[in-house]
Amino acid sequence: MLNQLTVQHFAIVQFLELEFSHGMTTITGETGAGKSIAIDALGLCLGSRADANMVRVGTDKAEISARFTLTDTPHAKQWLVNNDLESDDDINDCLLRRTVNKEGRSRAYINGTPVPVSQLKSLGQLLVNIHGQHAHQSLLKSEIQLSIIDEYAAHHQLLQKVKDTYQGWHFLNKQLKQQQLNQQEKQARKQLLEYQIQELDEFTLAEEEFEQIEVEHKRLANGGALLESCQLTLNHLSEGEQTDALTLLRSSISALEAQVENDKNLENIIATLQESLIQIEDASYELRNFSENLELDPEKFQQLESRMSDALSLARKHQVQPEFLYSHHQKLSKEFKQLNSGELQIEQLSADLEVAENSYYQHAKKLSHSRNRYAKELSKKITSSIQKLNMQDGIFHIQLVENSHHALSPLGLDNIEFQVKTNAGQTLQSLAKVASGGELSRIGLAMQVIISQRVATPTLIFDEVDVGISGATAAVVGKLLRSLGEQTQIFCVTHLPQVAGNGHQQMFVAKQSNGKNTNTTMVKLSEKDRLNELARLVGGDNITAHTLANAKELLVNTVS
């Protein structure tokens, strides 16, 4: 329940500090005085859009705070606990605050903690439900009609299931269409890859084979020169006809060994020469072995020449270096497999989409069944209510048609139409075709009151929802709202004395101007002032004994 509202520098309000109580509070005032300004301020405090024009001219910022008691609001209390925003002093107390500077930037607070506006709005929906003066016009929209029956039937969880399964289906459907769209391009690429891979498969180049071909080709191409150089070197080292390095080295070692007794320093030199002798012998052995095993195979050379030429030709064709031809082959094969897997993905997505669609229809049909059940109940209640609102022959009917072939929607499968018969002898027709402005207003008000009785919001605000209503109908509306006010806190901005007189308390809005500044105020009326205000609403500014008597009768009827 809203206990207190403080407004500073908001629009044409300089300062307001209002205390509220349980029951029905009516708000009246002259046209243009700003009867809805406190509600607009409260709406800002509950997370509505901020604007620089909300800041009073000549001031830096507007500030609104609203204090609520949460004794009978368990959902709001739990929300605060879940978000770690409960009051340190009292779990049953909640303070919301919103500031807007002259540049239009705003800040939001819950129990003194800065929060995003989205959190303020989320909590606000659990605390206050505002019905605007033009709300009945939206009754002509099918999505609003569905939301009314869903709110009445408390379809929150069921509707969320439908929305969730729709989102799952929508995501898969989007993926499938994208895959199918790409499939033609993939098919062309697949045909090209198939030809290229077949060509490389037939060539069957092994990993690092080209490098090996290069080495062997070079060796065979230079085989004669290699053999000649090896033989010449062997002659120099060990196989010379007259002399060679080994012969000279052995002779040198023998000569020095003969002199070692004369000088022991020759021993180190002799050891070094002996090591050289061993190394030359080893080199000669390896060189001889190399020469004997050196192949000079013209046929093999021709095979290598052909293989290398084909590899170079393929490399040029595929625009890669020949040493990368093998890895290029593997890359194309991998891409080809991935393109094949795309077809499998389409098959899998199609199967997943069918499962998601079945899940959607399962929940959507449950929603449709429940909507039909509650549509009958709500139709009867609205019919009864509008007949009390001076539409004695009025009949209201909610027409629901489930279309299983309808395009999937997050709101379900139902086509809805609010139908009404306003006079005897007529047939039911669409609300948009039959109802006048006043009739539409009465039907909308009846819906709001009925739905409000089922919604657990502790504070309800009706902002001039009685537009287009007068006379005896207005009196019924007043009693209807007062009856609702016995169960919960209600604020009703009105211009009708029959409605204003039914309030448990009444507040008056006035606007003053000194030629330079304008200021709007709101005060709670005493019983005497309330009589005068009701008399003004009955007869205008000229208050007479007759209008006072009428006003007193309204209040007496209210109390009795």
Side-chain angles (χ1 to χ4, degrees):
M1 185 183 82
L2 177 63
N3 283 339
Q4 185 183 62
L5 180 67
T6 304
V7 183
Q8 298 183 69
H9 305 313
F10 178 78
I12 56 174
V13 173
Q14 183 173 354
F15 179 79
L16 280 179
E17 188 171 57
L18 306 170
E19 302 284 341
F20 301 110
S21 57
H22 191 78
M24 177 181 174
T25 299
T26 55
I27 301 172
T28 61
E30 294 181 357
T31 302
K35 293 189 291 296
S36 299
I37 204 160
I39 293 171
D40 294 338
L42 179 61
L44 180 67
C45 201
L46 295 170
S48 63
R49 185 176 178 275
D51 190 280
N53 293 328
M54 295 175 171
V55 182
R56 183 176 171 85
V57 175
T59 62
D60 294 328
K61 69 175 182 179
E63 181 172 338
I64 300 96
S65 61
R67 186 176 296 279
F68 292 84
T69 298
L70 307 181
T71 308
D72 299 322
T73 318
H75 296 302
K77 269 199 290 191
Q78 189 59 50
W79 187 96
L80 290 171
V81 171
N82 293 342
N83 290 274
D84 295 324
L85 290 169
E86 63 266 41
S87 172
D88 294 332
D89 300 325
D90 185 358
I91 187 64
N92 291 317
D93 188 63
C94 178
L95 177 65
L96 308 184
R97 187 164 70 93
R98 183 93 178 270
T99 63
V100 184
N101 64 21
K102 57 185 179 182
E103 285 78 32
R105 292 190 296 271
S106 74
R107 292 183 178 180
Y109 305 85
I110 297 177
N111 288 326
T113 302
V115 296
V117 175
S118 58
Q119 279 196 309
L120 199 66
K121 193 170 186 177
S122 178
L123 177 59
Q125 292 172 348
L126 301 175
L127 297 172
V128 177
N129 197 342
I130 300 177
H131 301 276
Q133 57 181 304
H134 302 297
H136 59 276
Q137 295 294 338
S138 64
L139 292 178
L140 305 179
K141 299 177 181 178
S142 60
E143 63 270 21
I144 299 298
Q145 294 176 358
L146 282 175
S147 70
I148 287 172
I149 191 169
D150 287 334
E151 191 172 4
Y152 175 78
H155 280 154
H156 311 298
Q157 292 184 355
L158 189 52
L159 190 59
Q160 191 60 49
K161 281 285 187 182
V162 172
K163 289 179 179 178
D164 290 344
T165 52
Y166 169 81
Q167 289 297 332
W169 172 86
H170 180 71
F171 176 75
L172 289 171
N173 189 49
K174 187 177 180 181
Q175 279 194 317
L176 179 60
K177 286 182 178 179
Q178 188 63 47
Q179 285 284 353
Q180 291 171 336
L181 189 64
N182 295 337
Q183 194 60 26
Q184 291 181 348
E185 297 176 7
K186 289 181 179 180
Q187 193 62 34
R189 175 65 177 163
K190 183 180 173 183
Q191 290 175 353
L192 175 62
L193 286 176
E194 196 168 14
Y195 167 75
Q196 291 177 329
I197 291 170
Q198 182 180 357
E199 190 175 44
L200 291 168
D201 283 343
E202 291 172 356
F203 188 62
T204 60
L205 184 72
E207 188 173 7
E208 297 183 356
E209 181 186 347
F210 182 80
E211 291 87 340
Q212 295 168 5
I213 290 173
E214 275 192 312
V215 171
E216 194 169 358
H217 179 273
K218 188 174 183 180
R219 183 173 58 79
L220 289 174
N222 296 280
L226 283 169
L227 192 59
E228 184 180 345
S229 296
C230 288
Q231 190 60 52
L232 180 63
T233 304
L234 277 171
N235 289 337
H236 289 162
L237 291 177
S238 61
E239 296 179 1
E241 293 181 0
Q242 296 179 353
T243 184
D244 53 44
L246 280 177
T247 302
L248 292 173
L249 197 54
R250 289 189 186 108
S251 177
S252 299
I253 292 170
S254 296
L256 290 175
E257 284 177 341
Q259 298 297 324
V260 74
E261 290 182 0
N262 297 326
D263 191 338
K264 296 294 184 181
N265 289 327
L266 291 173
E267 289 180 349
N268 290 335
I269 296 172
I270 292 169
T272 301
L273 290 173
Q274 287 175 336
E275 288 177 4
S276 298
L277 181 65
I278 294 170
Q279 289 177 344
I280 290 174
E281 287 175 341
D282 289 343
S284 297
Y285 174 79
E286 290 179 8
L287 192 57
R288 189 180 301 109
N289 189 56
F290 177 80
S291 299
E292 290 173 355
N293 290 291
L294 185 63
E295 285 187 81
L296 297 176
D297 187 344
E299 185 177 348
K300 186 173 183 181
F301 178 74
Q302 287 300 321
Q303 291 174 352
L304 290 173
E305 182 80 15
S306 176
R307 185 77 170 159
M308 177 178 260
S309 177
D310 289 342
L312 289 169
S313 176
L314 271 175
R316 284 192 298 271
K317 189 173 183 179
H318 287 266
Q319 298 181 339
V320 295
Q321 293 298 320
E323 58 268 28
F324 297 131
L325 200 56
Y326 173 82
S327 60
H328 179 66
H329 184 190
Q330 303 307 307
K331 180 181 176 183
L332 294 183
S333 298
K334 183 179 180 180
E335 185 181 352
F336 186 76
K337 288 179 181 177
Q338 287 175 340
L339 289 177
N340 280 334
S341 69
E343 295 178 356
L344 296 176
Q345 284 181 335
I346 288 178
E347 291 178 10
Q348 186 61 51
L349 280 171
S350 298
D352 291 344
L353 187 65
E354 185 177 354
V355 172
E357 189 171 321
N358 289 336
S359 178
Y360 170 83
Y361 277 119
Q362 178 184 353
H363 293 292
K365 286 180 182 294
K366 285 183 181 178
L367 180 62
S368 295
H369 179 75
S370 183
R371 278 173 174 168
N372 273 285
R373 182 164 65 88
Y374 281 100
K376 294 175 183 178
E377 183 179 312
L378 183 57
S379 295
K380 290 179 180 179
K381 287 189 175 183
I382 294 174
T383 296
S384 175
S385 185
I386 64 175
Q387 287 176 354
K388 294 175 183 176
L389 294 174
N390 202 26
M391 292 175 65
Q392 293 87 348
D393 297 314
I395 294 177
F396 183 85
H397 176 70
I398 300 174
Q399 179 70 35
L400 280 167
V401 178
E402 180 190 331
N403 187 352
S404 57
H405 300 292
H406 193 279
L408 274 64
S409 161
L411 297 178
L413 298 170
D414 300 303
N415 293 324
I416 189 169
E417 185 179 67
F418 281 0
Q419 298 177 339
V420 66
K421 181 179 78 170
T422 57
N423 299 298
Q426 292 180 330
T427 58
L428 286 166
Q429 295 186 57
S430 171
L431 187 65
K433 294 180 180 179
V434 180
S436 64
E439 290 169 336
L440 193 60
S441 179
R442 276 176 275 175
I443 293 169
L445 181 61
M447 286 183 189
Q448 290 169 5
V449 172
I450 291 169
I451 292 171
S452 296
Q453 291 171 338
R454 294 178 65 90
V455 177
T457 308
T459 299
L460 304 174
I461 296 176
F462 295 92
D463 187 6
E464 295 196 29
V465 295
D466 49 15
V467 172
I469 296 173
S470 60
T473 305
V476 176
V477 169
K479 290 178 181 178
L480 194 65
L481 291 173
R482 182 181 176 89
S483 175
L484 187 60
E486 300 289 347
Q487 307 166 35
T488 188
Q489 185 184 40
I490 287 182
F491 294 92
C492 182
V493 177
T494 183
H495 65 285
L496 297 177
Q498 298 94 326
V499 175
N502 273 281
H504 294 90
Q505 50 272 331
Q506 185 172 341
M507 306 197 79
F508 178 72
V509 179
K511 182 171 67 175
Q512 300 89 28
S513 176
N514 58 12
K516 294 181 179 180
N517 296 305
T518 302
N519 186 42
T520 290
T521 59
M522 182 184 293
V523 295
K524 184 177 180 180
L525 296 177
S526 64
E527 186 173 350
K528 179 181 177 182
D529 290 336
R530 191 175 180 187
L531 278 172
N532 288 330
E533 171 61 6
L534 289 175
R536 183 191 68 80
L537 292 173
V538 170
D541 293 335
N542 185 22
I543 298 175
T544 65
H546 178 68
T547 56
L548 281 171
N550 286 340
K552 190 172 183 180
E553 184 179 354
L554 288 173
L555 281 176
V556 168
N557 288 339
T558 298
V559 174
S560 61

